[in-house]
């Protein structure tokens, strides 16, 4: 075996690829960062599935600090299991599980070999794009609980929540219809183009066989073009019809961009039919089929989204599926069936599922995700607890007061802004353009008609139809979806996922940005304990654990919960000194845990939320629950304040006000409820501002919904984020300004390509008006102009992105 | 030379067959996951034979 040249501190875990910083377990000459990773390796080795590591190096998911003990016990409850199953029979059950951590080909390989690991699993099939695993298993040999537990152990924890129990649909029918249309029109367009060739090479109509062929190809094209016009272009024709009706009824004065398009297509169809049936000469069939094909492809590009991300989550996907109940004959109950009077048991780190009264135990509830309040709240017996908080201390028992759907937190979802659909611009820009465009086209057609009427009346019909045909704004409608699609995928590569193309457009209109504080400007696991200082050994951790677990102080409880457990150590002379900390002798060595002044025996001052540790008179470091601001947050805000007015709404108390004052001035609100946040956005919008809201938690859900663009910031894009228009990976928070700037650039690129297509139109109309637009010229000119506009917009977008150093 | 007309019609019918195949594939969900089949092909069935669903 070769000698490892890298220093020991940089050894990578064989399973997950993380640095083995705290621990380094050696097994089979391979390093592992934690026992969880080693367990997975052992399971795979026992089942001869080490090919997992051959496909991708360090393919595994880190299992550090994960503890699944008893977490999935509720799945053994029959009613809960039945709810999750897609199909049930005595010998075979089927279930569809959503597994967010699927990320590479090794995952596919392992999960589809799942039947080799667990006896009783019949087959497993993975949809990588949607990250869904469909499993069928024999309920006599294994159970859902066993399957889920093993999946979690392997690092593929399925997401099971209140929302997940409702089955998702397949491809939506509208997309499917569009795909069918593209298939049909593509088929017809290809054949029409081929059949048109003979005509372009000039038939000798004197010749009997040439004349037969000419007729044959002509009528063949006519037949093929019928589905193109009546099926493929039906949306445009209908859209134009409705828009005209609306205008006649004076309901709207917008001329939809469908009108000039439908006009162009209809002109092509009528003129070509006339040429075919009356003149028996070539029509513009290939131009028409190509045009409709391009338009449909553009439409398809427009609706491409990140379909593995979920933008429309409600509180339902935050709550667990089932909870342990006490006063029932069964052990677990579905959360949505909870009623007043049910007694539920909540363990450490579990969510409170419904508004309830504390019956038993000490509650230390972290509401940071729900309200934005960073400090965990202490509650004692008889207190009222709101749903959504996370229990940080030990086991508690609660008496449910209200069902989940009517709880204080979920009331927010009954607000108006959740009921109505958000306005998403799709063709607004093109529509604004189309108004002038349509009138101008008619004007030119009329002038051309009048001119030829007085000069050569035989050319009126041909020139007028040619003008209408060539003026069809196909390139115009295509540049928008293609540019925005490119922008979207550039954003996606930079971990900024927008819901659809309209969001990019809305982003360019923004003039005000509202930030949430907790979890947005600060890092989101702020309610959680973080250790700063000299790394501790397992023994030292056990020492700290043994002491803090005996103290009743809320901070001690938090630290104990963070450490989880520890080995048994010998504690003597345990002393809980009020207002200072704990002092004891462990294995003969003095240990102090608490305020810095007490631990270091000095007069230093500290924040309320720090727990310092010294062992054997050696100061080690401290635990803190102080929220930490994101890196470069100040630089970002300074940059944004040049072009936007910045606001801050926080559910937290105002203890950081002085730090934020220089950046936000007076535009700060603290202690805001979710409803107040929503109202604040509404107020800003009433003043005429276009608001972008950036938040992360359930408490921002209302504000995110109400604002023009709601951006959810997320540490893990697969994990829960409230319903929003875009998801931004928290690591790229500092690039937010670049994204907003780039969306403006793409809109300018679209406008530029509008200009280009106008130039083409002027050229085309020139030809058409002078009566020289033959079918061959149209067949070359029309697709070429369209393609060049598309290439221009996509190319420029990519170039600018490169120049701006966006990957 | 009229054979060309027959050939063209035949060619359209063949191509039409593929069009129907495309519809069938879309309906069947072939285009819903384009990644995992490329990995699935590499999985060797050395121990148990997979059951066809």
């Amino acid at each position: 075996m070769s000698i490892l040249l890298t220093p020991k501190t940089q050894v990578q875990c064989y399973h997950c690829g993380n640095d083995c910083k705290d621990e380094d377990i050696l097994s089979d000459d391979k390093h592992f960062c934690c026992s969880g990773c080693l367990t997975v390796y052992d399971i795979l080795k026992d089942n001869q599935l080490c090919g997992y590591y051959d496909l991708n190096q360090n393919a595994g998911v880190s299992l550090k600090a994960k503890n699944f003990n008893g977490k999935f016990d509720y799945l053994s409850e029959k009613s809960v299991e039945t709810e999750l199953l897609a199909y049930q029979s005595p010998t075979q059950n089927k279930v569809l599980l959503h597994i967010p951590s699927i990320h590479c080909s090794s995952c596919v390989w392992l999960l589809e070999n799942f039947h080799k690991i667990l006896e009783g699993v019949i087959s497993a099939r993975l949809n990588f794009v949607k990250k869904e695993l469909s499993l069928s298993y024999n309920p006599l040999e294994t159970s859902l609980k066993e399957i889920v537990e093993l999946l979690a152990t392997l690092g593929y924890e399925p997401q099971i929540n209140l929302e997940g129990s409702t089955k998702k649909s397949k491809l939506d029918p509208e997309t499917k219809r569009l795909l069918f249309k593209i298939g049909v029109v593509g088929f017809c367009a290809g054949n029409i183009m081929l059949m048109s060739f003979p005509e372009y090479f000039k038939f000798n109509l004197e010749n009997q066989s040439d004349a037969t062929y000419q007729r044959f190809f002509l009528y063949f094209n006519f037949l093929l073009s019928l589905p193109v016009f009546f099926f493929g272009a039906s949306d445009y024709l209908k859209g134009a019809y409705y828009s005209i009706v609306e205008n006649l009824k004076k309901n709207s004065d917008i001329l939809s961009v469908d009108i000039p398009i439908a006009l162009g297509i209809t002109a092509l169809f009528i003129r070509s039919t006339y040429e075919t049936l009356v003149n028996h000469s070539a029509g513009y069939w290939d131009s028409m089929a190509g045009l409709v094909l391009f338009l449909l492809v553009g439409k398809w590009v427009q609706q491409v989204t990140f379909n593995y991300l979920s933008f429309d989550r409600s509180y339902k996907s935050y709550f667990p599926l089932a909870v342990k109940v006490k006063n029932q004959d069964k052990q677990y109950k579905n959360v949505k069936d909870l009623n007043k009077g049910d007694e539920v048991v909540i363990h450490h780190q579990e969510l409170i599922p419904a508004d309830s009264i504390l019956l038993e135990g000490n509650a230390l509830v972290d509401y940071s995700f729900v309200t934005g309040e960073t400090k965990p709240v202490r509650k004692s017996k008889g207190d009222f607890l709101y749903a959504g908080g996370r229990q940080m201390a030990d086991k508690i028992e609660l008496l449910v007061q209200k069902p989940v759907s009517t709880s204080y937190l979920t009331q927010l979802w009954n607000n108006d802004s959740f009921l109505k659909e958000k306005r998403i611009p799709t063709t607004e820009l093109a529509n604004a353009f189309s108004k002038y465009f349509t009138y101008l086209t008619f004007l030119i057609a009329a002038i051309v008609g009048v001119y030829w009427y007085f000069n050569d009346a035989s050319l009126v019909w041909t020139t007028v139809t040619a003008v209408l045909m060539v003026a069809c704004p196909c390139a115009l409608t295509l540049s928008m979806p293609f540019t925005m699609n490119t922008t979207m995928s550039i954003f996606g590569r930079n971990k900024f996922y927008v819901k659809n193309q309209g969001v990019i457009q809305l982003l360019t209109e923004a003039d005000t940005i509202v930030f949430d504080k907790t979890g947005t400007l600060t890092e989101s696991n702020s309610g959680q304990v973080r250790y700063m200082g000299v790394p501790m050994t397992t023994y030292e951790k056990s020492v700290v654990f043994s002491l803090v677990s005996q103290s009743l102080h809320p901070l001690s409880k938090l630290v104990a919960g963070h450490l989880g457990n520890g080995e048994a150590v010998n504690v003597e002379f345990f002393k809980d000194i009020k207002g200072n900390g704990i002092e004891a002798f462990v294995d003969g060595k003095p240990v102090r845990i608490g305020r810095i002044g007490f631990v270091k025996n000095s007069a230093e001052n500290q924040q309320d939320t720090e727990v310092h540790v010294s062992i054997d008179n050696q100061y080690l470091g401290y635990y803190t629950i102080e929220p930490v601001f994101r890196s470069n947050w100040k630089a970002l805000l300074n940059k944004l304040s040049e072009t936007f007015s910045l606001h801050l709404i926080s559910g937290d108390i105002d203890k950081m006000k002085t730090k934020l004052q220089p950046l936000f001035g007076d535009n700060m609100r603290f202690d805001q409820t979710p409803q107040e946040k929503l109202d604040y956005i509404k107020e800003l919008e009433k003043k005429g501002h276009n608001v972008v809201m950036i938040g992360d938690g359930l408490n921002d859900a209302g504000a995110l919904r109400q604002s023009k663009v709601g951006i959810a910031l997320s540490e893990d894009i697969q994990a829960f984020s409230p319903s929003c228009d875009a998801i931004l990976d928290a690591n790229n928070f500092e690039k937010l300004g670049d994204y907003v700037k780039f969306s403006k650039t793409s809109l300018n690129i679209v406008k530029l390509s509008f200009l280009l297509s106008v130039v083409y139109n002027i050229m085309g109309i020139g030809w058409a008006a002078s009566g020289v637009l033959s079918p061959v010229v149209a067949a070359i000119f029309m697709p070429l102009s369209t393609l060049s506009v598309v290439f221009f917009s996509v190319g420029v977008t990519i170039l600018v992105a490169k120049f701006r150093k966006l990957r | 030379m009229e054979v060309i007309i027959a050939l063209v019609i035949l060619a359209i019918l063949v191509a039409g067959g593929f069009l129907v195949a495309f519809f069938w594939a879309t309906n069947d969900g072939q285009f819903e996951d384009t990644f995992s089949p490329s990995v699935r092909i590499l999985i060797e069935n050395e121990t148990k034979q997979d059951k066809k669903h």
Side-chain angles (χ1 to χ4, degrees), chain A residues 78-94:
Chain A
K78 265 277 161 303
S79 61
V80 177
E81 194 182 7
T82 313
E83 174 138 10
L84 282 170
L85 291 176
Y87 169 80
Q88 213 173 1
S89 79
T91 53
Q92 194 178 14
N93 284 355
K94 281 186 183 160

Side-chain angles (χ1 to χ4, degrees), chain A residues 503-752:
Chain A
V503 174
I504 299 172
Q505 242 172 298
L506 286 175
L507 212 53
T508 62
E509 294 165 14
D511 58 8
T512 305
I513 302 183
V514 181
F515 287 90
D516 167 51
K517 194 191 88 197
T518 315
T520 305
L521 290 181
T522 64
E523 281 172 22
S524 75
N525 42 3
S526 50
Q528 293 199 338
V529 183
R530 199 191 308 267
Y531 176 73
M532 314 277 213
V534 192
M536 284 203 240
T537 61
T538 319
Y539 169 72
E540 283 165 339
K541 279 183 190 164
S542 305
V543 171
V544 175
F545 178 76
S546 65
L547 295 190
V548 290
S549 58
Q550 289 180 49
S551 161
L552 289 173
H553 193 275
L555 285 176
S556 303
K557 292 245 162 213
L558 277 179
V559 175
H562 168 69
L563 289 169
N565 52 31
E567 300 155 23
V569 286
N570 179 21
V571 181
E572 291 168 307
F573 312 114
F574 181 86
K575 246 197 293 181
D576 199 338
I577 301 155
K578 250 205 153 102
N580 274 323
I582 318 162
E583 188 184 43
F585 280 82
V586 179
D587 294 335
K589 281 175 248 162
V591 176
R592 275 185 171 192
I593 297 170
R595 298 186 70 88
I596 189 162
F598 166 70
V599 170
K600 278 191 172 172
N601 233 337
S602 63
E604 274 176 74
N605 241 334
Q606 66 156 72
Q607 295 275 351
D608 276 350
T609 48
E610 287 171 12
V611 180
H612 296 258
V613 178
S614 83
I615 296 178
D616 201 10
N617 292 324
Q618 285 285 313
Y619 178 75
L620 290 177
Y622 63 94
Y623 291 92
T624 177
I625 57 163
E626 187 69 4
V628 177
F629 277 90
R630 293 194 188 281
S631 59
N632 291 336
W633 66 285
K634 256 188 190 157
L636 171 75
L637 290 182
N638 276 327
K639 207 162 107 192
L640 286 176
S641 63
E642 288 165 16
T643 34
F644 298 96
S645 86
L646 302 181
H647 297 249
L648 180 97
I649 39 176
S650 175
D652 206 1
I653 46 166
D654 60 355
K655 67 175 176 192
M656 301 221 178
K657 200 170 178 177
T658 44
K659 199 169 179 182
L660 297 163
Q661 189 90 41
L663 289 155
F664 291 100
D666 293 329
N667 298 330
M668 289 195 288
R669 296 278 186 287
F670 290 95
D671 238 343
Q672 300 283 298
T673 64
Q675 182 64 46
E676 282 170 330
K677 284 187 172 185
L678 195 160
D679 294 339
Y680 187 74
I681 303 278
K682 226 181 221 169
E683 211 178 289
L684 281 174
E685 287 188 332
K686 238 180 228 155
K687 284 182 202 154
H689 294 293
N690 287 323
V691 183
V692 173
M693 169 79 203
I694 300 163
D696 75 305
L698 276 177
N699 58 328
D700 306 314
L704 287 173
R705 181 77 197 196
Q706 177 66 38
S707 63
K708 222 164 201 174
V709 181
I711 302 176
L713 204 66
S714 180
E715 309 268 330
D716 171 9
I717 54 148
Q718 294 293 345
F720 177 82
S721 52
S723 85
C724 57
D725 302 306
I727 301 176
L728 173 61
D729 189 295
N731 296 328
N732 284 26
F733 177 63
E734 53 184 298
K735 281 196 189 162
L736 186 72
D738 298 342
Y739 299 150
V740 177
K741 203 170 143 201
F742 190 73
S743 58
K744 283 189 181 161
T745 312
S746 0
L747 202 67
N748 285 335
I749 293 172
V750 171
K751 285 178 183 161
L752 214 64

Side-chain angles (χ1 to χ4, degrees), chain A residues 193-265:
Chain A
M193 279 171 201
L194 215 62
M195 304 285 167
S196 301
F197 258 99
E199 181 85 43
Y200 299 150
F201 290 112
K202 289 287 174 254
F203 284 112
N204 177 9
L205 293 181
E206 310 288 297
N207 184 322
Q208 177 59 37
S209 80
D210 265 21
T212 319
Y213 281 136
Q214 198 256 357
R215 284 286 167 91
F216 172 71
F217 289 129
L218 209 56
Y219 289 110
F220 210 94
N221 275 346
F222 176 62
L223 284 180
L224 279 173
S225 67
L226 291 178
V228 175
F229 183 73
F230 289 104
F231 178 58
S234 58
D235 281 349
Y236 294 99
L237 301 177
K238 270 186 232 159
Y241 172 74
Y242 290 134
S243 177
I244 291 171
V245 168
E246 285 294 294
N247 267 285
L248 290 179
K249 279 192 194 155
K250 306 261 185 249
N251 284 342
S252 102
D253 60 342
I254 302 164
L255 285 182
S256 147
V257 74
D258 284 348
I259 296 179
I261 291 175
L263 198 68
I265 297 172

